Amino acid sequence: MIQLPFIGAFLEATGVILEKKALKDKNMNFKNYTTYEFLAIIIVMLPILYFTWKIESSAGSLGNIILFAFVIIVATLANLLIFYSLKRENVTEFEPIWLMLPMFTIILAFILFKTERNLVSVILASIASLTLVIAHVKKHHLKMDKYILAAILGSFLFAVELIASKPLLLFYNPFTFSFIRCFFIFLICFSLFRPNGKELNKKIGMMLILIGVMWVMYRAIIYYGYETVGIIHTTTIFILSPVLMFLFAIIFLKEKPTMRQIISTIIIVACVVASVVINNL
């Protein structure tokens, strides 16, 4: 089912574009948005759980519970940081940073899993990372404001979360795992921010449900890919997501990319594509 990660990449890119449109509402702050989005994901998943609920008894061991708690905490922080950045940054500015997620994921997979070790991937990831820094240099100064730094840290934490999730997927159906993760992220955000719903209207509500559907399918696909074809192979296909995000932002949000952003995106994608080709020779 090699086509599934390509579908997942499309879902991820579309989801981020819709998130940006929702966050552009001046009354919607990133904290409340995070809470609403995870509530929407839970609502979308509830009917599916009847058919997909599966937890192995080994999931209840102390080590696995601690690891799952770590995943939830890291995922909560990652989402808040990404939405904080996306609220302020244009998608064309955000997109090269989002490209760091697969880079971080590949590096961590190389370090932590023997079956995923490939020196070529790490070298190409380093080249891509350097390209990202150069893309944000303007007039000999780094254009690294707090929103860009939040996006970089959020991308890294997402990579940590995804890597930490892999051992747990042995004990859960992907939908079950995703639901439990999202349910506790919602509880944490709701407890911290206590949104009153005044920012919501019919249009935003429908958009949140649509975004929820996309992220449910995205997570199921990425977890399935990790279990069947491995982290690095799945991740390299998902690199198409930021590329589509970049194009969608130009077409639908009328954002104007700089030449450095265009070149940066091309080089980073070329590095990951080269990694896929070389690893399959």
Side-chain angles (χ1 to χ4, degrees), residues 13-61:
T14 307
V16 171
I17 294 296
L18 290 175
E19 285 174 339
K20 178 60 180 178
K21 288 182 72 68
L23 284 165
K24 285 177 73 173
D25 188 319
K26 63 181 180 180
N27 296 318
M28 182 70 75
N29 67 58
F30 76 96
K31 298 175 184 177
N32 289 352
Y33 178 82
T34 306
T35 309
Y36 298 142
E37 180 168 309
F38 279 95
L39 176 60
I41 291 172
I42 291 170
I43 293 171
V44 169
M45 294 198 74
L46 280 174
I48 304 173
L49 285 179
Y50 179 80
F51 304 99
T52 60
W53 186 267
K54 178 185 175 184
I55 304 177
E56 301 288 344
S57 58
S58 301
S61 70

Side-chain angles (χ1 to χ4, degrees), residues 41-265:
I41 291 172
I42 291 170
I43 293 171
V44 169
M45 294 198 74
L46 280 174
I48 304 173
L49 285 179
Y50 179 80
F51 304 99
T52 60
W53 186 267
K54 178 185 175 184
I55 304 177
E56 301 288 344
S57 58
S58 301
S61 70
L62 180 60
N64 286 330
I65 291 173
I66 292 172
L67 182 58
F68 207 153
F70 173 77
V71 166
I72 290 166
I73 292 169
V74 172
T76 303
L77 292 172
N79 276 282
L80 288 170
L81 286 166
I82 289 298
F83 291 141
Y84 172 75
S85 175
L86 195 57
K87 174 72 176 175
R88 298 296 179 186
E89 293 294 335
N90 289 332
V91 174
T92 48
E93 185 72 19
F94 174 84
E95 177 267 347
I97 307 296
W98 192 241
L99 278 168
M100 294 299 290
L101 173 57
M103 298 298 108
F104 288 139
T105 305
I106 289 170
I107 291 170
L108 289 173
F110 176 87
I111 294 171
L112 297 175
F113 299 108
K114 291 182 179 180
T115 56
E116 302 281 355
R117 287 178 183 171
N118 190 306
L119 186 59
V120 173
S121 296
V122 175
I123 293 172
L124 291 170
S126 300
I127 295 171
S129 300
L130 180 60
T131 302
L132 173 67
V133 174
I134 294 172
H136 287 82
V137 174
K138 291 190 176 181
K139 296 181 179 179
H140 307 293
H141 295 284
L142 277 176
K143 191 200 173 189
M144 286 287 181
D145 59 25
K146 58 184 180 180
Y147 303 109
I148 293 294
L149 291 174
I152 293 173
L153 180 56
S155 296
F156 175 74
L157 290 178
F158 265 126
V160 171
E161 180 226 334
L162 288 169
I163 294 296
S165 298
K166 181 176 170 59
L168 294 172
L169 292 172
L170 296 172
F171 313 115
Y172 296 86
N173 175 280
F175 280 102
T176 306
F177 181 83
S178 185
F179 176 82
I180 296 172
R181 167 188 175 273
C182 292
F183 179 76
F184 280 103
I185 293 174
F186 166 73
L187 282 184
I188 292 170
C189 291
F190 183 80
S191 299
L192 291 174
F193 309 131
R194 299 284 182 175
N196 55 24
K198 65 181 181 180
E199 310 95 334
L200 298 177
N201 54 47
K202 185 176 180 180
K203 180 181 178 181
I204 293 293
M206 293 300 294
M207 189 178 296
L208 284 169
I209 293 296
L210 179 58
I211 292 169
V213 171
M214 291 184 174
W215 287 127
V216 168
M217 294 173 65
Y218 163 81
R219 279 283 169 164
I221 289 171
I222 203 167
Y223 292 151
Y224 175 80
Y226 282 9
E227 289 186 277
T228 55
V229 298
I231 295 174
I232 289 181
H233 190 67
T234 302
T235 301
T236 49
I237 295 175
F238 266 84
I239 197 68
L240 288 174
S241 170
V243 176
L244 293 171
M245 194 188 308
F246 185 77
L247 295 174
F248 290 169
I250 297 170
I251 296 169
F252 299 113
L253 299 181
K254 308 302 180 184
E255 295 183 6
K256 296 181 179 180
T258 66
M259 184 56 66
R260 285 189 177 185
Q261 290 168 353
I262 294 171
I263 294 172
S264 171
T265 299

